[in-house]
């Protein structure tokens, strides 16, 4: 319960700071922090990805750093650079964005196993890269609420000991197997 309340308090604080920063658009250069929530879809399921980002806002550009948690396949954390460009068309504001960075694998305590093989001794994960890009629209006058659509790619590598059984021999043998995972997803922010 304490963890949930702490998370809610952190998100509300981030939103309030974001609102205050966005309200200062009359200044040339300001700092911002924003809480974001994405819904990513691959060909099988939809998962939520919470993200917090912060940085510098200057002349329609946002540049900074972001951190997100991702629960597709194996749990992981993305640490990325952030680049947003705001585009004014009449009275409406749009934006394009990209977030390139690292995908840091963080398996569950119970272990993350592939659906194709239930037992993987000496299973190890290696970090990969993360890339996200998309576009959207700013929804409020203060420009602190937005909706967007995007694409993301997350990669990581898994190594484990696999067993080959040969019915003609008494003993089988172990070898090191390697799987490289690449997830391409579309989603809403």
């Amino acid at each position: 319960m304490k963890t949930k309340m702490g998370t809610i308090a952190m998100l509300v604080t981030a939103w309030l700071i974001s609102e205050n920063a966005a309200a200062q658009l009359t200044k040339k250069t300001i700092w911002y922090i924003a809480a974001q929530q994405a819904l990513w879809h691959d060909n099988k399921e939809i998962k939520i990805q919470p993200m917090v980002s912060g940085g510098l806002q200057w002349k329609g550009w946002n540049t900074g750093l972001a951190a997100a948690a991702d629960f597709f396949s194996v749990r992981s954390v993305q640490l990325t650079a952030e680049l947003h460009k705001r585009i004014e068309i009449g009275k409406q504001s749009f934006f394009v964005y990209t977030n390139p960075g690292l995908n840091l694998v963080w398996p569950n305590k119970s272990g993350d196993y592939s659906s194709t093989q239930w037992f993987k001794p000496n299973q190890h994960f290696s970090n990969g890269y993360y890339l996200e890009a998309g576009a959207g629209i700013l929804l409020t006058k203060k420009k602190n609420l937005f909706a967007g659509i995007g694409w993301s790619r997350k990669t990581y590598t898994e190594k484990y000991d696999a067993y080959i059984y040969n019915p003609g021999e008494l003993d089988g043998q172990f070898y090191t197997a390697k799987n490289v995972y690449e997830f391409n997803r579309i989603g809403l922010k």
Side-chain angles (χ1 to χ4, degrees):
M1 185 68 167
K2 288 183 181 181
T3 305
K4 277 187 179 179
M5 293 307 290
T7 303
I8 291 169
M10 182 181 70
L11 291 175
V12 168
T13 302
W15 177 76
L16 290 172
I17 292 169
S18 164
E19 183 174 357
N20 290 338
Q24 300 174 21
L25 289 174
T26 56
K27 293 184 178 182
K28 291 186 180 190
T29 303
I30 60 170
W31 291 95
Y32 72 92
I33 186 168
Q36 302 174 30
Q37 191 74 19
L39 294 172
W40 291 111
H41 173 59
D42 67 357
N43 60 353
K44 293 184 268 183
E45 58 187 345
I46 296 175
K47 296 273 184 153
I48 294 173
Q49 179 193 46
M51 176 185 273
V52 176
S53 64
L56 189 64
Q57 190 175 60
W58 178 74
K59 293 187 178 182
W61 289 93
N62 288 13
T63 59
L65 299 174
D70 192 329
F71 302 96
F72 267 98
S73 183
V74 175
R75 177 178 57 184
S76 60
V77 173
Q78 290 80 41
L79 299 176
T80 66
E82 179 174 67
L83 182 62
H84 286 223
K85 173 61 178 154
R86 190 174 66 235
I87 302 162
E88 305 286 338
I89 299 176
K91 292 185 177 183
Q92 191 58 56
S93 295
F94 300 91
F95 66 92
V96 293
Y97 71 93
T98 185
N99 289 44
L102 299 174
N103 182 50
L104 307 176
V105 179
W106 181 23
N108 297 330
K109 286 182 182 179
S110 62
D112 286 302
Y113 298 104
S114 168
S115 61
T116 60
Q117 193 170 11
W118 63 272
F119 179 68
K120 293 183 178 178
N122 296 323
Q123 182 183 35
H124 302 284
F125 295 98
S126 298
N127 299 327
Y129 70 88
Y130 181 80
L131 178 61
E132 180 181 337
I137 185 169
L138 295 163
L139 299 173
T140 62
K141 289 181 183 181
K142 291 183 179 182
K143 297 179 177 34
N144 62 343
L145 183 63
F146 67 86
I149 187 165
W151 163 86
S152 77
R153 180 179 182 93
K154 149 181 155 167
T155 69
Y156 65 89
T157 303
E158 171 193 34
K159 290 183 181 178
Y160 59 94
D161 290 340
Y163 184 75
I164 297 177
Y165 175 71
N166 184 345
E169 296 180 19
L170 294 176
D171 292 331
Q173 69 182 43
F174 278 98
Y175 70 98
T176 301
K178 178 180 175 181
N179 294 324
V180 177
Y181 295 96
E182 298 175 346
F183 295 92
N184 290 298
R185 306 157 314 170
I186 58 170
L188 300 173
K189 273 190 147 181

